Amino acid sequence: MLILRVIVTMNPSYGGPCQGIRNSIPALSRFGIDNEVVCFDEDDVDYGIEDSFLIHRIGRGVGPYSFNSRLESWSAKNLGRFDIVIVHGLWLHTSFGMYKAWSKFKRHRTKFPSLYIMPHGMLDPYFQKSKDRRFKAIRNSIFWHLFEKRVINGVDGVLFTCEMELELAKQAFFGYNPKKAVNIGYGIQRPPAFNAQMDGEFRAISGLKEDDRYFLFLSRIHEKKGIDLLVKAYMNLTDSGMFSSLPKLVIAGPLLGRYAELMQKIASHQNNIVFTGMLQGNAKWGALYSAESFILPSHQENFGIAVVESLACGTPVLITNKINIWKEIDEGKGGLIEQDDAEGVRNLLVRWIELQDKERSEYRKSARKTYEEYFTVESAASQFCKRLEIDAHTS
């Protein structure tokens, strides 16, 4: 079985889908499934990592749509080698371009691959309703009627990372009618085992003492993430005197843009709120392993890789019900769930602080179990094969 992945870039700095591809390919290979990737990167690009699978770089696309005339000619020569083609993402030439090339290819062949689209949250209605995305929402509506509706309804199926993403996709656009909608799951690789150096590097960057407890936010500092709700709820609890002591609040993410500046300004008189900037490597894993709990009060999150990384480290998560994997986390008792508003975020903090030590310990155990049950790359690979009815052979 040979699968082709189609994506704009495999540059690791873009995270998300390209990291998901890198996570899944080794797990799928143990089921006898090989993968190749075609992307719109230049041939001499250096990703800074060594991939174990073949990547076909056909050159950069043009303009904000990433139009690439080489995709059709490459496809005409190569599609016959593959059993399945999966396009990762929408709204760029990778989706409609591959759909056109595939449609043309199969008109002249008796053997041709199945074609699937994996939106990675790009059909979430949030993106059409958010006030700060009005221009992009109009653009997407136009693109939907011109291109993407034909793609979604014309391919063999649409693949989703979780059941909530699948259900939300039905609400975004008129005329959504795919032949098949499949929740294939999603997973991440196991984190490196904890060691004292990780915690030491994190505390050196953050300035936290060895015995300081803390809540951890680790993500982009963006309006969508609900950080304003978190900072205000934390400050409200601090000022109220409701608790004799609170864990500190660590906000880890790139300190870029006006919103990040505003959040720092609001929290500037509060000594217990620490902005670390972006954490990587040992410092990142130290922050995740040693946190009291991980908190992400997001208004929209398709999967939330950092949420799952926290679970994998045995760190409970405090999240909103706008993170699409909240039901799995709630079922596994991997953390606490609330609404994505001021009251909900405050409740997340209060509910956690009011837990007894024994209850917190139980949540830590359940967090790791939730990861093992729902979000390992092995379980995602197994579900992928089962849902797409692939005759897999484990090795």
Side-chain angles (χ1 to χ4, degrees):
M1 172 68 69
L2 183 59
I3 295 177
L4 174 67
R5 309 293 187 126
V6 186
I7 192 169
V8 170
T9 180
M10 284 298 287
N11 190 323
S13 65
Y14 286 82
C18 68
Q19 185 57 47
I21 290 173
R22 288 188 168 96
N23 285 340
S24 66
I25 285 179
L28 287 171
S29 68
R30 293 193 280 274
F31 287 85
I33 299 171
D34 294 318
N35 287 258
E36 295 179 14
V37 175
V38 61
C39 63
F40 294 178
D41 289 327
E42 297 294 344
D43 190 52
D44 60 351
V45 67
D46 181 9
Y47 298 136
I49 56 177
E50 202 162 319
D51 290 302
S52 60
F53 50 89
L54 183 59
I55 300 179
H56 305 276
R57 304 174 183 88
I58 62 172
R60 189 174 301 170
V62 177
Y65 185 59
S66 289
F67 176 79
N68 194 324
S69 60
R70 292 174 290 277
L71 180 61
E72 185 172 340
S73 58
W74 187 93
S75 299
K77 295 176 184 176
N78 289 278
L79 283 185
R81 297 191 296 111
F82 298 95
D83 301 292
I84 293 175
V85 177
I86 301 175
V87 179
H88 293 264
L90 293 169
W91 314 120
L92 297 172
H93 187 237
T94 41
S95 59
F96 187 64
M98 178 52 72
Y99 175 70
K100 278 183 62 181
W102 173 76
S103 299
K104 183 177 180 180
F105 182 87
K106 69 177 187 174
R107 283 199 296 268
H108 306 287
R109 304 293 179 100
T110 56
K111 181 184 180 299
F112 50 86
S114 302
L115 178 62
Y116 294 91
I117 294 288
M118 193 165 183
H120 292 277
M122 295 180 189
L123 288 175
D124 194 307
Y126 167 86
F127 295 111
Q128 293 304 105
K129 297 176 181 178
S130 178
K131 293 180 181 178
D132 65 336
R133 288 182 51 88
R134 287 173 181 168
F135 173 76
K136 289 183 178 179
I138 294 170
R139 180 205 65 179
N140 286 357
S141 293
I142 294 170
F143 276 32
W144 171 256
H145 291 290
L146 290 177
F147 309 122
E148 302 296 0
K149 182 168 71 172
R150 292 167 59 189
V151 175
I152 291 294
N153 296 341
V155 298
D156 292 300
V158 185
L159 309 180
F160 297 97
T161 61
C162 61
E163 196 63 31
M164 183 67 74
E165 184 197 1
L166 186 154
E167 292 300 322
L168 287 171
K170 301 173 183 177
Q171 305 171 23
F173 296 98
F174 179 77
Y176 172 85
N177 188 30
K179 295 175 183 176
K180 186 189 295 185
V182 186
N183 169 20
I184 61 167
Y186 212 51
I188 67 163
Q189 295 175 342
R190 286 174 169 77
F194 175 77
N195 60 61
Q197 184 178 351
M198 293 175 177
D199 185 63
E201 289 191 23
F202 162 66
R203 292 185 187 273
I205 291 172
S206 65
L208 266 63
K209 298 176 183 177
E210 188 175 350
D211 59 349
D212 279 339
R213 298 162 55 205
Y214 60 93
F215 296 112
L216 174 67
F217 170 96
L218 190 152
S219 188
R220 286 186 303 137
I221 299 179
H222 186 274
E223 291 93 330
K224 189 187 82 164
K225 307 292 183 176
I227 306 169
D228 54 323
L229 299 178
L230 174 59
V231 169
K232 290 173 183 177
Y234 184 86
M235 292 173 64
N236 176 269
L237 286 179
T238 302
D239 295 340
S240 72
M242 184 175 175
F243 301 101
S244 58
S245 65
L246 286 171
K248 293 188 175 182
L249 174 60
V250 173
I251 297 177
L255 299 173
L256 304 172
R258 292 181 180 179
Y259 185 74
E261 291 179 8
L262 177 61
M263 292 302 100
Q264 289 177 282
K265 184 178 180 180
I266 291 173
S268 60
H269 71 282
Q270 174 58 256
N271 294 331
N272 285 341
I273 301 178
V274 179
F275 289 82
T276 66
M278 186 175 179
L279 297 177
Q280 295 178 300
N282 275 343
K284 169 191 160 181
W285 293 115
L288 287 169
Y289 270 114
S290 300
E292 176 91 0
S293 58
F294 176 92
I295 184 162
L296 182 60
S298 188
H299 299 298
Q300 190 280 331
E301 211 74 40
N302 179 52
F303 183 76
I305 287 179
V307 175
V308 178
E309 288 176 335
S310 298
L311 296 172
C313 293
T315 299
V317 297
L318 314 182
I319 61 172
T320 68
N321 59 3
K322 297 303 186 293
I323 295 173
N324 286 348
I325 56 174
W326 74 267
K327 288 186 177 180
E328 290 88 341
I329 293 171
D330 190 43
E331 187 173 327
K333 301 189 186 305
L336 305 178
I337 322 293
E338 288 282 354
Q339 294 283 342
D340 64 323
D341 55 25
E343 183 180 2
V345 176
R346 187 177 187 276
N347 286 344
L348 285 174
L349 297 173
V350 171
R351 286 175 62 193
W352 181 263
I353 296 165
E354 288 182 341
L355 291 174
Q356 299 297 315
D357 289 344
K358 183 179 179 181
E359 293 174 307
R360 294 194 192 104
S361 179
E362 289 300 318
Y363 269 110
R364 296 193 74 88
K365 293 175 185 175
S366 295
R368 178 69 186 194
K369 288 179 182 177
T370 301
Y371 163 71
E372 293 288 350
E373 183 172 353
Y374 294 103
F375 302 121
T376 66
V377 288
E378 293 82 8
S379 63
S382 177
Q383 184 163 314
F384 177 91
C385 296
K386 181 179 179 181
R387 296 290 170 85
L388 293 189
E389 299 179 342
I390 294 172
D391 184 17
H393 303 283
T394 56
S395 60

